[in-house]
């Protein structure tokens, strides 16, 4: 070998294939000088094992061709399905100078690891990936999941928490929720990340669905759903309606009816609803109500009985009934104070009057004139016209020419069927020479009266030459709110004789 001056440094240049790293050194001093270049070794494949959220890695050391070991190793973690390198946590981060380490508090997921040797400022080839390891998400369980009295201290387990964490418990919000009294055993969390749990739900916790959070001091978090059902159901409303429908709150002796109720339970579910209507129907102290949806007097009810029959005889007046309910947890309640009015008196016709529209001709039936039927009590609108609720609806008024007295009848909007308002005799024969139809007339109910407003006549009418007194003979078809049928006794127009319309 050629001798070099002692002050001359050795410079080596090596062309490397991809993936191959070389190490080179320089020296100064007296004597012979020489240099060598070594290829950096590749990393070995690590073996991995899991305890709780801790992954233990070990691997074979990497050495140079002359047997010298490298300075250390870089550990990398990747998603097992592919993706970028993740941040490696303490004890395996940076340069590891041994051939094993434990990465603590590894996040949930499926992971693989690699080892890359390093020496001074040189880096070797990254080794092959390890077998995949799975870190399960943290969990919290509590039993029972439904508590039926307070305070309650359900027990359970937590898993997947970081070794050494202390744990606090909160209700419904992991950050700002009410802090719950609770404990874990062992405390703090041991190496395997598991502990038994006891949490207390205090008095005053509202019925319904809640979430209990376990929050670890290192940021681990798990939750579990719990239901509080510590109070009985609430009976919100109840009503009795005759089976004919229409207005609620009225029935007659011997009449048929149903009981309706609204019952809720914030904790679990309503298991049963019954009605005590023994004051109305003898012996019926626990009539079962079934679930559904029904609208009565504009209120939607969730429970209804089968048809029942009121006693006969049954005295008129107000009678009470009660609703009982139980929930799935065995809590029960009874709510009384609900009433129904017994009405055994049939309705009757009491008066009939006409009125002239402003600016109209007195004694002549014209558009805008009205005729008002007055009953002894409110009539069920649906007994006059199916589906009618008493609001303004279109009808046809017939003015009928008759030799014994012209007549008024009310027919439906299509003029195809007479409505059961009976017939009004006008008391004179000179209101028309021929029968006329007032189309697009309207009908409206208010209290105990029904007012009909005349629409457009189908032909000419006459102006009555004098006064008269109307007579109204009703039909038996209408009935009152208790389903008592209308009496057919005729009503005579009140007041002095006058010209109608």
């Amino acid at each position: 070998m050629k001798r070099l001056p002692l002050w001359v440094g050795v410079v080596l240049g090596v062309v490397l294939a991809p993936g191959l790293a070389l190490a080179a050194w320089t020296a100064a001093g007296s004597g012979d000088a020489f240099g060598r270049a070594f290829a950096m070794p590749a990393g070995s494949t690590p073996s991995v094992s899991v305890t709780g959220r801790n992954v233990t890695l070990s691997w074979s050391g990497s050495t140079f061709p002359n047997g010298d070991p490298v300075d250390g190793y870089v550990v990398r973690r990747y998603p097992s399905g592919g993706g970028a390198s993740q941040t490696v946590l303490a004890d395996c981060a940076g340069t590891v100078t041994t051939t094993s380490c434990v990465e603590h508090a590894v996040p949930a997921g499926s992971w693989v690891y690699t080892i890359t040797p390093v020496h001074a400022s040189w880096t070797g080839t990254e080794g092959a990936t390890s077998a995949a390891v799975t870190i399960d998400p943290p969990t919290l369980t509590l039993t029972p999941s439904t508590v039926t009295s307070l305070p309650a201290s359900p027990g359970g387990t937590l898993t997947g928490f970081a070794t050494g964490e202390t744990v606090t418990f909160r209700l419904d919000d992991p950050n700002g929720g009410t802090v719950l009294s609770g404990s874990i055993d062992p405390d703090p969390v041991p190496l395997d990340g598991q502990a038994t749990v006891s949490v207390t739900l205090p008095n005053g916790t509202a019925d319904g669905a809640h979430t209990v959070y376990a929050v670890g001091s290192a940021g681990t978090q798990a939750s579990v759903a719990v239901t509080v059902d510590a109070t009985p159901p609430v009976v919100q409303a109840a009503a009795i309606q005759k089976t004919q429908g229409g207005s609620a709150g009225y029935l007659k002796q011997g009449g048929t009816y149903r009981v309706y109720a609204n019952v809720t339970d914030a904790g679990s579910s309503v298991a049963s609803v019954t009605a005590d209507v023994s004051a109305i129907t003898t012996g019926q102290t626990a009539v079962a109500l079934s679930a559904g949806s029904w609208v009565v007097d504009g209120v939607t009810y969730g429970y209804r009985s089968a048809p029942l029959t009121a006693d006969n005889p049954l005295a008129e007046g107000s009678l009470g009934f009660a609703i009982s309910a139980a929930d799935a947890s065995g809590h029960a309640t009874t709510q009384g104070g609900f009433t129904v009015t017994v009405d055994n008196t049939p309705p009757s016709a009491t008066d009939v009057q006409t009125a002239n529209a402003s600016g109209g001709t007195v004694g002549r039936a014209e558009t805008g004139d009205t005729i008002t039927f007055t009953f002894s009590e409110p009539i069920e609108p649906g007994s006059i016209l199916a589906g009618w609720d008493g609001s303004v609806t279109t009808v046809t008024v017939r003015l009928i020419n008759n030799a014994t007295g012209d007549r008024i009848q009310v027919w439906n909007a299509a003029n195809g069927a007479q409505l059961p308002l009976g017939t009004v005799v006008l008391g004179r024969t000179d209101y028309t020479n021929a029968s006329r139809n007032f189309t697009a007339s309207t009908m409206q109910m208010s209290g105990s009266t029904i007012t009909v407003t005349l629409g457009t006549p189908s032909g000419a009418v006459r102006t009555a030459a004098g006064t008269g007194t109307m007579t109204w003979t009703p039909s038996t078809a209408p009935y009152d709110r208790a389903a008592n049928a209308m009496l057919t006794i005729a009503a005579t127009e009140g007041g002095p004789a006058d010209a109608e319309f």
Side-chain angles (χ1 to χ4, degrees):
M1 173 178 288
K2 181 179 179 181
R3 297 177 62 83
L4 298 173
L6 296 179
W7 52 268
V8 176
V10 179
V11 179
L12 299 175
V14 181
V15 178
L16 301 177
L20 185 63
L22 296 187
W25 294 266
T26 62
S30 61
D32 295 338
F34 62 93
R36 293 183 296 174
F38 289 153
M40 280 290 293
S44 60
T45 303
S47 61
V48 290
S49 62
V50 178
T51 303
R53 285 177 55 191
N54 308 309
V55 178
T56 299
L57 299 92
S58 60
W59 58 91
S60 299
S62 299
T63 60
F64 291 101
N66 67 351
D68 290 341
V70 296
D71 287 346
Y73 306 89
V74 172
V75 178
R76 292 186 175 91
R77 173 164 47 86
Y78 298 90
S80 62
S85 173
Q86 306 294 298
T87 300
V88 175
L89 304 175
D91 297 334
C92 285
T95 299
V96 180
T97 58
T98 62
T99 57
S100 66
C101 68
V102 179
E103 186 183 20
H104 298 282
V106 178
S110 180
W111 309 106
V112 293
Y113 290 82
T114 66
I115 302 298
T116 302
V118 295
H119 192 90
S121 60
W122 293 277
T123 301
T125 302
E126 186 175 16
T129 57
S130 70
V133 294
T134 298
I135 305 296
D136 293 325
T139 63
L140 172 65
T141 65
L142 289 175
T143 302
S145 59
T146 298
V147 298
T148 58
S149 62
L150 294 173
S153 297
T157 59
L158 57 78
T159 65
F161 277 64
T163 303
E165 281 191 295
T166 58
V167 179
T168 57
F169 299 91
R170 288 184 180 269
L171 185 65
D172 294 331
D173 187 319
N175 300 311
T178 300
V179 176
L180 302 176
S181 174
S183 62
I184 66 171
D185 184 26
D187 188 6
V189 176
L191 185 66
D192 63 5
Q194 302 182 37
T196 60
V197 170
S198 177
V199 181
T200 298
L201 298 170
N203 283 322
T205 303
D207 274 15
H210 295 278
T211 302
V212 173
Y213 290 89
V215 182
S217 55
T220 307
Q221 186 182 113
S223 64
V224 64
V226 295
T227 299
V228 175
D229 186 14
T231 58
V234 176
V235 180
Q236 298 171 310
I240 283 178
Q241 182 193 47
K242 60 188 177 297
T243 54
Q244 291 89 341
S247 301
Y250 297 87
L251 58 81
K252 65 178 181 178
Q253 60 185 5
T256 55
Y257 65 95
R258 294 180 187 266
V259 184
Y260 294 82
N262 271 335
V263 180
T264 60
D265 187 80
S268 56
S269 60
V270 177
S272 65
V273 179
T274 60
D276 181 352
V277 290
S278 56
I280 304 163
T281 303
T282 302
Q284 296 294 344
T285 59
V287 177
L289 275 64
S290 57
S293 181
W294 300 273
V295 178
V296 177
D297 278 352
V299 177
T300 300
Y301 290 92
Y303 294 88
R304 186 182 76 168
S305 73
L308 299 161
T309 301
D311 289 344
N312 191 3
L314 189 64
E316 288 190 330
S318 179
L319 296 178
F321 64 99
I323 302 295
S324 296
D327 64 21
S329 297
H331 302 108
T333 187
T334 297
Q335 176 69 53
F338 302 109
T339 61
V340 65
T341 297
V342 177
D343 173 12
N344 300 324
T345 303
S348 60
T350 60
D351 195 13
V352 60
Q353 295 286 336
T354 61
N356 185 45
S358 177
T361 302
V362 175
R364 178 187 290 267
E366 298 172 293
T367 302
D369 291 349
T370 61
I371 181 167
T372 299
F373 302 86
T374 301
F375 301 82
S376 60
E377 60 178 303
I379 294 298
E380 195 64 67
S383 67
I384 300 294
L385 178 63
W388 185 39
D389 62 2
S391 59
V392 176
T393 190
T394 303
V395 294
T396 300
V397 175
R398 289 188 179 185
L399 174 58
I400 301 170
N401 182 40
N402 190 283
T404 60
D406 295 339
R407 286 156 166 71
I408 290 287
Q409 293 178 350
V410 182
W411 288 57
N412 62 12
N415 199 24
Q418 184 181 356
L419 302 187
L421 284 173
T423 299
V424 177
V425 177
L426 295 176
R428 295 185 62 85
T429 61
D430 54 353
Y431 285 96
T432 183
N433 286 329
S435 296
R436 305 299 185 196
N437 297 323
F438 288 77
T439 58
S441 299
T442 61
M443 175 175 69
Q444 185 175 20
M445 182 174 180
S446 177
S448 299
T449 65
I450 294 177
T451 298
V452 177
T453 302
L454 301 187
T456 304
S458 58
V461 295
R462 298 179 59 190
T463 301
T467 63
T469 298
M470 292 184 291
T471 302
W472 167 32
T473 303
S475 163
T476 59
Y479 50 81
D480 64 14
R481 294 169 295 182
N484 294 294
M486 184 84 177
L487 297 175
T488 58
I489 300 172
T492 300
E493 176 186 10
D498 59 359
E500 309 308 334
F501 306 109

